[in-house]
């Protein structure tokens, strides 16, 4: 590979040098021909512009016109001579031969003589025009004689200069033709030699290299198709042979890894199948437990609802009759209180069962927040007075609406307030506040009771959870009030949170339940 690369580089370098040398010679001939052509064009232009000058001078003398008419023709003739001098100077500077430079410089003398004759004619023309304007006779004849004298000296010099430039251009063309004749056989020989060298290099170096690379490509395709047992024949110790050895080593490693991967995949599939069977069985067990739990809630609710209604009705009738002993009245009062508490728990159980089965639907409509707060105050204040607890309400939201089921949301607020009353001691304070900010309505129910233990706080929203002292407290409930409240609030697109602190030295105790609901924009 290194030999092939070196041969190609040397061939390209030789060809480049030959082409550069040829271009340099051809460029000299072309530039010499172009320079002679430019000088020919300038000499022809000088002839024409001198003729224009002579015609205008004769017309101005005959018409006794202004000498200024000769300014422009004179300027053009002078510009032509200046360009001729510049072109001859460039030709002298470009010529490397002293004899050739001397021959070119001789043309500058011819151009200088032609310019001197023109300047002498210009002075004679200006003098003739001046005399004609002064009225002196014979000016036209004198100017014509001066022009004839000028033509007799200027014409032959111009013709000789033009002829020399034509000869020079012909010599340049002939030199280019000779260069082509010399280079043609060399070019043909170089091309033939290049073809022969290319064929030899291809057969001796490139073809074996290409064949081996094709073998590598075919082996790579076979491995890509999964045939990792493919191997390459290795001959020699060059770079490609080393690469083929590494290729075989890589194929062996791939084969080992594929075998290990297939074994791991088989073991993984077995584990997945086993875990799938276990998960399916566990899911079936959980589904059965969940169905049994829902059926239990529904059965308990329906079985106890009717008897409790009868008990409450009989107790109310007996109390309204005001007949019987005081012991009977006290007993009926106790029965009535117990029945009301049991009735409330059964209703909670039925709501939970309906919410889990999807039978409970909310009827959402715009509800004024101040009305919810006012209704909660009317329902809770009698119980607060009976327990000796102050119930403070701060509806500070104004005309703010939420989209809600008024009955359910009212029950949630009343239930939270009732919980706060039950956990407040005599003379305590329960506060219900409402506020609105950034399109969010916030309802807070707080008390200054004993608070909730830190270990119980993460579980208060779990159904049937009754931790710590709450499990032993009279009338503490079944542990479904907050769970049901969270379900209702989340169905309204809101959130509910609880913050509680137990009594400690230097710190007040109490519990605060916060409900956040999106405010309803009626203007939209």
């Amino acid at each position: 590979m290194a030999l092939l690369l070196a041969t190609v580089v040397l061939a390209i370098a030789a060809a480049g040098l030959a082409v550069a040398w040829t271009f340099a010679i051809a460029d000299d001939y072309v530039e010499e021909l172009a320079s002679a052509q430019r000088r020919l064009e300038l000499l022809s232009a000088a002839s024409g512009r001198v003729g224009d000058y002579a015609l205008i001078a004769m017309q101005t003398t005959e018409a006794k016109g202004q000498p200024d008419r000769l300014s422009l023709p004179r300027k053009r003739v002078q510009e032509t001579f200046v360009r001729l001098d510049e072109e001859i100077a460039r030709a002298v500077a470009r010529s490397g031969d002293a004899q050739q430079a001397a021959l070119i410089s001789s043309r500058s003398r011819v151009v200088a003589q032609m310019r001197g004759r023109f300047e002498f004619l210009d002075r004679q023309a200006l003098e003739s025009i001046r005399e004609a304007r002064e009225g002196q006779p014979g000016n036209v004849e004198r100017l014509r004689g001066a022009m004839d004298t000028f033509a007799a000296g200027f014409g032959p010099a111009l013709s000789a200069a033009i002829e020399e430039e034509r000869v020079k251009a012909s010599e340049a063309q002939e030199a280019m033709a000779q260069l082509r004749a010399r280079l043609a056989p060399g070019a043909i020989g170089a091309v033939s030699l290049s073809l022969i060298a290319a064929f030899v290099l291809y057969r001796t170096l490139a073809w074996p290299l290409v064949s081996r690379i094709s073998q590598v490509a075919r082996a790579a395709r076979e491995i890509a198709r999964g045939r990792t047992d493919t191997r390459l024949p290795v001959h020699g110790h060059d770079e490609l042979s080393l690469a083929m050895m590494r290729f075989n080593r890589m194929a062996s490693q791939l084969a080992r890894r594929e075998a290990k991967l297939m074994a791991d995949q088989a073991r993984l599939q077995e584990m997945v199948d086993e875990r799938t069977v276990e998960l399916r069985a566990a899911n079936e067990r959980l589904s059965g437990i969940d169905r049994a739990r829902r059926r239990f809630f529904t059965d308990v609710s329906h079985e106890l609802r009717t008897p409790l209604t009868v008990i409450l009705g009989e107790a109310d009738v007996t109390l309204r009759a005001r007949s019987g002993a005081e012991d009977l009245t006290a007993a009926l009062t106790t029965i009535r209180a117990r029945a009301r508490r049991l009735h409330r728990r059964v209703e909670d159980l039925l709501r939970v069962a309906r919410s889990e089965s999807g039978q409970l639907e909310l009827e959402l409509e715009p509800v004024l927040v101040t009305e919810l707060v006012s209704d909660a105050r009317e329902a809770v204040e009698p119980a607060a007075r009976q327990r000796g607890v102050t119930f403070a309400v701060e509806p500070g939201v104004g005309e703010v609406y939420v989209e809600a089921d008024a009955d359910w949301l009212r029950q949630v607020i009343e239930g939270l307030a009732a919980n706060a009353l039950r956990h407040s001691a005599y003379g305590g304070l329960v506060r219900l506040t409402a506020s609105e900010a950034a399109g969010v309505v916030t309802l807070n129910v707080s008390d200054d009771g004993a608070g909730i233990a830190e270990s119980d706080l993460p579980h208060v929203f779990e159904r049937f959870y009754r931790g710590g002292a709450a499990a032993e407290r009279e009338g503490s409930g079944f542990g479904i009030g907050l769970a049901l409240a969270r379900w209702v609030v989340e169905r309204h697109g809101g959130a509910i949170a609880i913050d509680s602190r137990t009594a400690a030295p230097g710190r007040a105790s109490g519990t605060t339940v916060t409900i956040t609901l999106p405010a309803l924009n009626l203007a939209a």
Side-chain angles (χ1 to χ4, degrees), residues 109-394:
R109 292 191 293 273
V110 175
V111 174
Q113 293 174 1
M114 294 168 60
R115 179 185 292 181
R117 288 190 178 94
F118 172 74
E119 291 176 353
F120 181 72
L121 175 63
D122 182 53
R123 289 194 297 271
Q124 288 180 329
L126 291 176
E127 185 177 355
S128 298
I129 293 172
R130 181 180 56 78
E131 291 177 354
R133 290 176 59 82
E134 292 176 354
Q136 296 181 13
N139 298 290
V140 176
E141 289 75 8
R142 286 195 297 273
L143 180 59
R144 186 175 289 111
M147 288 183 178
D148 291 339
T149 303
F150 169 78
F154 184 83
L158 179 62
S159 299
I162 291 175
E163 185 62 26
E164 288 182 0
E165 297 299 338
R166 287 177 179 172
V167 171
K168 190 65 178 177
S170 299
E171 291 177 353
Q173 290 178 346
E174 184 179 356
M176 291 181 64
Q178 293 176 358
L179 178 63
R180 285 196 299 271
R182 290 196 305 269
L183 291 178
I188 294 173
V191 171
S192 301
L193 183 61
S194 298
L195 291 176
I196 294 173
F199 178 76
V200 172
L201 289 174
Y202 177 76
R203 293 299 300 177
T204 58
L205 298 177
W207 172 249
L209 181 63
V210 171
S211 300
R212 295 164 71 187
I213 292 176
S214 299
Q215 292 177 356
V216 174
R218 288 193 296 270
R221 286 195 298 269
E222 293 298 326
I223 289 179
R225 293 171 182 170
R227 297 185 57 183
T228 56
D229 57 343
T230 303
R231 299 294 183 270
L232 290 171
V234 180
H235 306 287
H237 300 283
D238 57 354
E239 296 88 344
L240 187 56
S241 298
L242 294 177
M244 296 171 74
M245 292 175 60
R246 295 190 181 96
F247 183 91
N248 291 337
R249 191 179 301 115
M250 178 198 68
S252 300
Q253 292 176 356
L254 285 176
R256 290 193 297 270
R257 291 181 181 178
E258 183 180 14
K260 185 176 181 300
L261 179 62
M262 296 298 295
D264 292 342
Q265 185 177 3
R267 288 195 299 271
L268 180 61
Q269 186 63 40
E270 293 177 359
M271 294 175 61
V272 170
D273 293 340
E274 293 176 359
R275 297 298 181 270
T276 301
V277 173
E278 294 176 0
L279 288 175
R280 188 178 292 112
N283 188 38
E284 292 178 356
R285 289 195 299 271
L286 289 175
S287 298
I289 294 172
D290 186 63
R291 287 192 299 270
R293 181 174 58 85
R294 294 184 183 182
R295 186 168 56 251
F296 167 75
F297 285 149
T298 303
D299 293 343
V300 169
S301 300
H302 285 289
E303 291 295 332
L304 297 181
R305 195 174 186 183
T306 300
L308 287 174
T309 303
V310 174
I311 292 173
L312 290 172
E314 291 296 331
D316 289 338
V317 170
T318 304
L319 289 175
R320 284 198 299 271
R322 296 184 182 279
S323 60
E326 294 181 359
D327 294 338
L328 181 59
T329 301
L332 290 176
T333 301
T334 301
I335 292 173
R336 185 173 182 273
R338 297 284 182 175
R340 284 187 179 276
R341 186 178 301 115
L342 187 57
H343 185 270
R344 183 170 63 250
R345 302 306 178 210
V346 171
E347 289 290 339
D348 289 343
L349 287 171
L350 184 59
R351 292 190 187 101
V352 171
R354 289 179 177 177
S355 65
E356 289 185 344
S357 61
Q359 299 177 0
L360 187 62
E361 296 294 338
L362 301 179
E363 297 181 1
L364 302 179
E365 60 182 357
V367 178
L368 190 62
V369 176
T370 54
E371 291 183 358
L372 291 174
V373 175
S374 178
D375 294 345
R377 178 176 56 190
E378 293 178 0
V380 176
E381 274 187 345
R385 287 193 298 268
Q386 182 179 0
R387 298 181 65 91
V389 177
T390 301
F391 185 64
V393 178
E394 299 177 4

Side-chain angles (χ1 to χ4, degrees), residues 8-22 190 194:
V8 172
V9 170
L10 290 176
I12 293 175
L17 291 175
V19 171
W21 175 75
T22 304
S194 298

